[in-house]
Amino acid sequence: MTGLATMVSGVLLLTACNGVPAAGDGDSAGSGSEGIEAGGGGLPVAALPRAPVKCDSYSDNLTGRDWAVVYYGMTGLEPPREKWSDEALVSIDRSLGAEEAWNRANAQVEAQWDAMKGTRCITLRTGANPGEYDPGLGGIPFGAFAPDAYFPVGDRTTPVNLTFRNAAAARVWKMSRERATALRADSWWSSASLVIRARLSAARPSGNGGAIEAEVVRYDLDPPEYSRVARESFTVAP
């Protein structure tokens, strides 16, 4: 499923920010080739509707408004439908008349609400931000899964930050120092990206917006087009 609103088109690329804790729960994980480091505690969130035990498919290319709908769908809070309808009017032909334009705006908002409110399995695309080889961790840490990483995914009406409760379990790509040195020699390596599949597990109000917590299920390390690094896939423990 893709987002219905048109605020963002094509592939959604996000950059992890710092400031909202996002740590794993101490489980471990592995990839098709090498293991992933574990650690950490979790972001306290309200006990709200649980995510599906298994995600058979993952919604991709969610817009900021899609994320806002998901947030309200998870928390059970009343969404600002009237404000959303006001914003939807911008793209509707006013020559239809005020009443018809308003009805169509409301219908657009309701259609998006119905389509996205139950979304719990998502795909997130972001820069990997690989660090230097860390002998203490035994591999290369990804900045996207740093303990203080978060992702601003909402819209202007409802800012929402996404964090991963098991980020510590996904953070480190285990490898030898020699392999890490070879990777760093690839001039395109620093531009590698991640395609993260995650299940949303909880949500709560936070400041002027909201917070959603998710569990990484698996992710792909996607090298740049001209890189010699092969694509890698990882499965992550909850």
Side-chain angles (χ1 to χ4, degrees), residues 46-62:
L48 292 159
R50 297 297 299 170
V53 173
K54 180 181 179 182
C55 291
D56 295 321
S57 62
Y58 296 83
S59 297
D60 200 354
N61 295 333
L62 273 68

Side-chain angles (χ1 to χ4, degrees), residues 25-133:
D25 59 3
D27 293 326
S28 61
S31 71
S33 57
E34 305 190 52
I36 299 291
E37 178 74 357
L43 175 69
V45 293
L48 292 159
R50 297 297 299 170
V53 173
K54 180 181 179 182
C55 291
D56 295 321
S57 62
Y58 296 83
S59 297
D60 200 354
N61 295 333
L62 273 68
T63 67
R65 179 56 50 78
D66 289 333
W67 277 107
V69 170
V70 171
Y71 164 74
Y72 283 107
M74 293 184 71
T75 60
L77 297 173
E78 184 66 27
R81 282 187 172 88
E82 186 172 347
K83 189 168 186 177
W84 290 350
S85 294
D86 281 337
E87 294 173 356
L89 281 172
V90 174
S91 61
I92 295 176
D93 184 359
R94 296 300 185 89
S95 67
L96 296 169
E99 183 176 357
E100 179 62 19
W102 182 251
N103 288 339
R104 293 195 182 194
N106 283 332
Q108 180 178 314
V109 168
E110 288 305 313
Q112 186 174 15
W113 172 261
D114 291 339
M116 300 304 301
K117 65 181 179 181
T119 298
R120 298 296 182 270
C121 302
I122 60 93
T123 298
L124 187 75
R125 302 166 189 271
T126 185
N129 191 19
E132 299 288 341
Y133 177 81

Side-chain angles (χ1 to χ4, degrees), residues 153-175:
V153 295
D155 61 6
R156 289 178 297 177
T157 303
T158 308
V160 176
N161 288 328
L162 175 71
T163 58
F164 296 118
R165 65 180 298 271
N166 61 340
R171 184 184 177 202
V172 180
W173 184 9
K174 294 284 193 178
M175 64 179 65

Side-chain angles (χ1 to χ4, degrees), residues 13 126-130 184 186-194 221-225 227:
L13 292 176
T126 185
N129 191 19
R184 300 297 298 183
D186 187 322
S187 60
W188 298 96
W189 165 241
S190 61
S191 299
S193 60
L194 299 180
L221 174 66
D222 200 4
E225 180 180 359
S227 175

